[in-house]
Amino acid sequence: MSNPDLSKLCIHTITTKPWSLEEAIDKYTQAGVKGISVWEDAIKPMGPAKAGEMLSSSGLSVVSYVRGGFFPNLHQSERNKAIDHNKKLLDEAAAIGAPALVLVCGAEPGQSLETSRAQIQSGIETLIPHAEANGVKLSIEPLHPMYADTRSAVNTLQSANDMAEAIHSPWVGIAVDVYHVWWEPGLEAEIKRCGENGNLFAFHICDWKVPTNDFLLDRGLMGEGCIPVKQIRGWVESAGFDGFNEVEIFSNHYWGMDQNSFLTQIIEAYHTHS
Ligand code: ZN
């Protein structure tokens, strides 16, 4: 492998879940990775303040804190709890130096998707002052429609664009994840629209394995499945995005292998297929 350009490579801590935050920081840094997106679980053992110190002295760019959201609920009291929890996550994001909090928006199967979407929009709008006070942006991540039952009522980039444009705040934008939107008709145009409106905050990469054995925990490395990652990255960059390419892979298969070898594979796949 000839001197790969890793200047835009970010890895989500969940991708190398068996590693502690400390190990992830050490291994990513040694491998030349420049960015890290930090999952809530990764900072549990030491708390946000200590995690923030570790991250700021590491030299890695903290790209996102993952993940908030889950706004819809049948009961107002539960929706209020979700707001409070998201405020806490925004505080933690600020403490670890993350400029954005990724939102898995949520869905409530006991009500219509339209009602869930209205609750999501309202929840995000309620959080804006707290996001601004912390200097942390909110990234709506549209999820593949197979998750429309309980994980997200925002299932296309088109629908995420509609919501971000309706909210119309510099603190609210979108995380585009190839796993969730690769199939979407008109994706190129929606990515362009997202960029033109200033809403393209983040770009997540992995692949869709054929066949996929588990619809949560069997994501593939770039190049291993059917997602045209390079092409989508080209669209994202043409839309004006110059941020990190975030490798986010949940995979029992990869978590089960030696994480040093897996990291080498991630870097090779990033170099060759994205
Ligand atoms: Zn993602």
Side-chain angles (χ1 to χ4, degrees):
M1 185 170 42
S2 62
N3 205 21
D5 177 9
L6 303 181
S7 61
K8 298 284 186 189
L9 173 58
C10 165
I11 300 179
H12 281 234
T13 56
I14 191 101
T15 300
T16 55
K17 190 168 117 173
W19 279 342
S20 67
L21 180 63
E22 194 168 18
E23 285 173 302
I25 288 171
D26 286 349
K27 302 288 187 178
Y28 296 178
T29 308
Q30 283 162 23
V33 175
K34 301 298 182 198
I36 185 168
S37 282
V38 179
W39 279 60
E40 192 183 357
D41 285 358
I43 70 163
K44 281 252 159 71
M46 77 294 292
K50 174 72 182 149
E53 283 171 28
M54 290 163 59
L55 288 159
S56 74
S57 61
S58 73
L60 290 168
S61 294
V62 181
V63 178
S64 298
Y65 187 45
V66 198
R67 55 189 164 71
F70 294 99
F71 298 104
N73 197 282
L74 294 172
H75 307 288
Q76 181 68 52
S77 57
E78 293 299 315
R79 297 200 293 277
N80 293 343
K81 274 189 205 163
I83 296 291
D84 289 343
H85 182 60
N86 278 284
K87 285 182 178 171
K88 177 175 160 275
L89 293 171
L90 283 165
D91 296 340
E92 292 175 2
I96 67 162
L101 174 67
V102 175
L103 300 176
V104 170
C105 292
E108 165 51 60
Q111 65 191 17
S112 72
L113 289 167
E114 288 77 10
T115 300
S116 286
R117 283 184 204 120
Q119 291 175 355
I120 290 164
Q121 183 170 332
S122 163
I124 293 172
E125 286 169 343
T126 306
L127 287 175
I128 291 173
H130 203 80
E132 187 170 3
N134 276 293
V136 176
K137 294 183 175 185
L138 297 161
S139 304
I140 299 168
E141 179 163 0
L143 296 203
H144 191 284
M146 69 182 169
Y147 299 125
D149 53 352
T150 56
R151 280 201 180 81
S152 186
V154 180
N155 305 107
T156 59
L157 182 53
Q158 181 177 29
S159 137
N161 275 330
D162 289 346
M163 188 175 290
E165 287 165 29
I167 294 171
H168 196 65
S169 161
W171 296 95
V172 179
I174 294 168
V176 172
D177 186 326
V178 298
Y179 189 77
H180 297 299
V181 299
W182 68 276
W183 58 275
E184 185 173 340
L187 180 61
E188 182 179 7
E190 290 299 329
I191 286 173
K192 186 163 183 274
R193 172 186 167 194
C194 189
E196 279 174 351
N197 286 289
N199 289 328
L200 189 37
F201 283 5
F203 182 51
H204 299 175
I205 57 176
C206 68
D207 211 339
W208 184 285
K209 284 167 74 173
V210 184
T212 294
N213 295 318
D214 183 304
F215 287 116
L216 186 61
L217 303 176
D218 190 34
R219 292 191 186 197
L221 274 169
M222 297 75 72
E224 199 181 0
C226 60
I227 300 179
V229 180
K230 263 189 191 177
Q231 183 179 41
I232 297 174
R233 179 178 171 182
W235 295 341
V236 163
E237 289 176 355
S238 296
F241 181 77
D242 66 353
F244 280 90
N245 303 295
E246 303 177 43
V247 177
E248 183 190 33
I249 298 173
F250 320 134
S251 164
N252 286 326
H253 168 70
Y254 287 117
W255 291 334
M257 71 179 274
D258 174 67
Q259 297 297 287
N260 292 296
S261 310
F262 180 37
L263 180 57
T264 302
Q265 285 188 30
I266 291 170
I267 290 170
E268 281 173 7
Y270 176 72
H271 184 49
T272 312
H273 298 289
S274 53

